[in-house]
Structure formats: C-alpha cells, structure tokens
C-alpha cells in the first residue's frame, strides 16, 4: 500500500488557527503506513536514541517553573525544509522546544532524519494528526486513525511513544478528548499565537512571540522560513528578559494528563 504524501508546498499553506465545528462527519481512511527503510547512524547517535527509548523520555531537566520565568516554544506542521535550520539555532543556544509533527510530513521526511534528530537532540515530540483535519469534525474512528497512524510512524522511526498532541486548528470537543485519553495523549493548546502562518514577516513574528509571559505556550510553525528567520531575535530577546526555555512537559514538571486540555501553566 502507498503512503499519503501531499506536496510539501501544499501542506505549507495549511494554517493552524482556532477553528470550531459543531458537527461530525466520516473521513477518508488514511492508508496503512509502510515501514520506512532504516538508515545507518554512527555509534554516538545510536547511544542517544537508545537512551531516549528508556521510560520517562524526555527526561525533565527539573526546572521549577513555579519559581522560574518559563516559556514553552512549540512548533507545528513539520518536519519540513526549514526544520533543520531551526534545530541548528536551538542547538547553538542549548534550547529545548516541543514539535507537534504531522504524520504525512514525517512519512515524507527522507529516512526520518529530521524526526530522529528532534528526538536525539532532546526536544519533545508531539502528535499533530496524520493529515491535519479539524478533528472535532470527524467520526471517532477517523480521529483514532489520525492519531494512531502518526503515533505509530513516530515510534517506528524513533522508539518514542508520544505523550502530547495538538489538535489541528485547536478544534477539539468531548469526543476528541475521549479519543486522546484512550491514546494516552494530552491536548496542548496555546496562549500566545504568533499568527506566523498569516504574517510571513520575521520582525512581526518575533514581536508577537516576545509578548510571552511566565508559563506561556507559544504557537509557531517550523514549515515557514520567516518563522525560523525570527527565532534568533525571539531567543535573544526572551533570554534577556530572564526566560527559561522548556518543553511542554517540563513546563508542568511532569507529563500532562491524557485527554486533558492545557493552554498555559
């Protein structure tokens, strides 16, 4: 069977804006994932991957966000062509973030290299569905498929079972909450929306991201060049303000509870 693979340029146009729906419909079933060919890695990379597979990944760095000015930067819709440069920027500053990946984009990631790198470099990885539909508009069975197929391909590539998810467009309801609970996923929304999908200007994106308060979850998209261009200013400005960059789970001091919805600390 073949894997769905929409052109990256088309997926890059998808906007993660708040979207509410009051009905359910059936969705075309995403295809069964065909296991991807494994690629060779050097011993150091393998050691990191094996460590990441242990219980409790990602390991908390024990930040006390009740006292510190913590902020969680989150990136949706990848991995894409700009994700590698973003990872370089974060690595250079020893910053950890949370990446909510789309299953189709993971399947299109050559050999899963970017997906593995997200995990290897200590970032948190989360489920953003297989094909980016408004989950609250789908049947329970379709929601299950959207989440499970993405969970399965990420676990196949990295050995990590995801514990957080972000509903596309922020579209959720009781049915989605029930399905995420069954799948062991907490729903992570946001309280700072940079609107970077709409306004493709790095200074504008940076200004909005830097409006974060202690405990904020910032919504960004690593599929946009302008967002990655904005990141040096975001990281430098928030650092000068005394913020500590954490993953979503680190923000709460533990893995968020499955099915529950979070918008900030």
């Amino acid at each position: 069977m073949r894997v769905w693979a929409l052109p990256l340029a088309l997926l890059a146009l998808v906007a993660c804006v708040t979207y509410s729906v009051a009905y359910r419909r059936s969705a075309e079933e995403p295809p069964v994932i065909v296991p991807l060919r494994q690629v060779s890695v050097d011993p150091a990379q393998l050691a990191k991957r094996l460590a990441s597979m242990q219980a409790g990944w990602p390991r908390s760095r024990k930040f006390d966000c009740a006292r510190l000015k913590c902020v969680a930067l989150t990136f949706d819709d990848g991995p894409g062509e700009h994700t590698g440069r973003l990872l370089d920027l974060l690595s250079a500053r020893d910053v950890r973030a949370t990446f909510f990946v789309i299953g189709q984009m993971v399947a299109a990631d050559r050999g899963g290299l970017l997906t593995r790198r997200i995990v290897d470099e200590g970032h948190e990885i989360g489920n953003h569905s297989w094909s980016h539909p408004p989950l609250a508009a789908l049947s329970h069975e379709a929601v299950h498929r959207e989440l499970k197929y993405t969970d399965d391909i990420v676990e196949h590539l990295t050995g990590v079972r995801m514990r957080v998810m972000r509903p596309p467009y922020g579209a959720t309801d009781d049915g989605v909450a029930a399905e995420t609970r069954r799948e062991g996923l907490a729903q992570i929304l946001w309280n700072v929306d940079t609107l970077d999908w709409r306004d493709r200007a790095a200074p504008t994106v940076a200004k909005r991201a830097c409006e974060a308060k202690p405990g904020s979850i910032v919504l960004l998209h690593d599929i946009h060049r302008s967002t990655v261009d904005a990141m040096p200013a975001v990281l430098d400005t928030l650092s000068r303000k005394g913020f500590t960059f954490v993953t979503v789970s680190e923000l709460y001091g533990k893995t968020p509870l499955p099915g529950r919805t979070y918008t900030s600390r």
Side-chain angles (χ1 to χ4, degrees):
M1 296 185 182
R2 62 186 177 86
V3 175
W4 281 5
L6 294 180
L8 296 183
L10 178 59
L11 284 174
L13 296 177
V14 175
C16 279
V17 295
T18 301
Y19 180 91
S20 61
V21 289
Y23 63 90
R24 290 185 171 274
R25 60 176 174 79
S26 295
E28 181 181 351
E29 181 178 351
V32 176
I33 294 170
V34 178
L36 302 179
R37 179 175 60 85
Q38 297 290 335
V39 297
S40 60
V41 294
D42 65 33
Q45 289 177 320
L46 179 58
K48 288 181 180 179
R49 190 166 308 123
L50 290 172
S52 74
M53 293 179 187
Q54 304 307 310
W57 183 93
R59 293 181 177 84
S60 172
R61 291 170 290 169
K62 305 300 182 185
F63 294 116
D64 184 357
C65 290
R67 293 171 170 264
L68 297 172
K69 293 172 62 175
C70 294
V71 61
L73 301 180
T74 65
F75 298 91
D76 289 11
D77 291 1
E81 62 178 314
H82 306 298
T83 304
R85 184 161 64 94
L86 172 60
L87 289 169
D88 291 340
L89 291 170
L90 297 176
S91 177
R93 293 165 171 79
D94 195 28
V95 168
R96 303 292 184 271
T98 302
F99 289 79
F100 292 99
V101 298
I102 294 176
Q104 287 181 336
M105 298 294 275
V106 173
D109 180 19
R110 293 172 297 179
L113 295 178
L114 288 172
T115 307
R116 287 187 172 108
R117 186 177 168 193
I118 288 169
V119 171
D120 288 346
E121 296 186 4
H123 302 287
E124 187 164 23
I125 192 165
N127 192 323
H128 198 39
S129 81
W130 178 261
S131 61
H132 206 280
L135 297 180
L138 305 184
S139 67
H140 293 299
E141 294 78 9
V143 173
H144 174 73
R145 291 192 297 266
E146 287 283 333
L147 298 177
K148 178 172 172 48
Y149 289 170
T150 304
D151 277 346
D152 287 349
I153 193 171
V154 168
E155 185 172 23
H156 171 75
L157 288 170
T158 68
V160 168
R161 195 69 175 175
M162 295 180 287
R163 294 291 177 258
V164 293
M165 64 83 68
R166 173 165 286 159
Y169 314 104
T172 187
D173 61 10
D174 290 343
V176 175
E179 201 59 53
T180 57
R181 190 177 305 112
R182 282 190 286 270
E183 195 68 16
L185 297 165
Q187 298 186 85
I188 308 300
L189 299 182
W190 59 88
N191 70 331
V192 176
D193 189 348
T194 62
L195 299 174
D196 58 337
W197 58 270
R198 185 189 72 186
D199 301 320
R200 308 288 180 83
T204 301
V205 172
K207 180 177 183 297
R208 289 173 181 155
C210 291
E211 292 172 356
K213 306 298 182 184
S216 284
I217 298 174
V218 182
L219 173 62
L220 298 147
H221 298 79
D222 51 314
I223 58 171
H224 300 310
R225 180 188 301 274
S226 49
T227 297
V228 179
D229 289 344
M231 289 315 298
V234 172
L235 298 172
D236 292 345
T237 300
L238 291 178
S239 292
R240 285 196 299 270
K241 290 182 177 181
F243 279 92
T244 297
F245 300 101
V246 296
T247 67
V248 165
S249 291
E250 289 172 341
L251 184 66
Y252 295 100
K254 59 183 179 180
T255 303
L257 295 176
R260 185 174 292 184
T261 300
Y262 297 81
T263 57
S264 63
R265 192 180 192 283

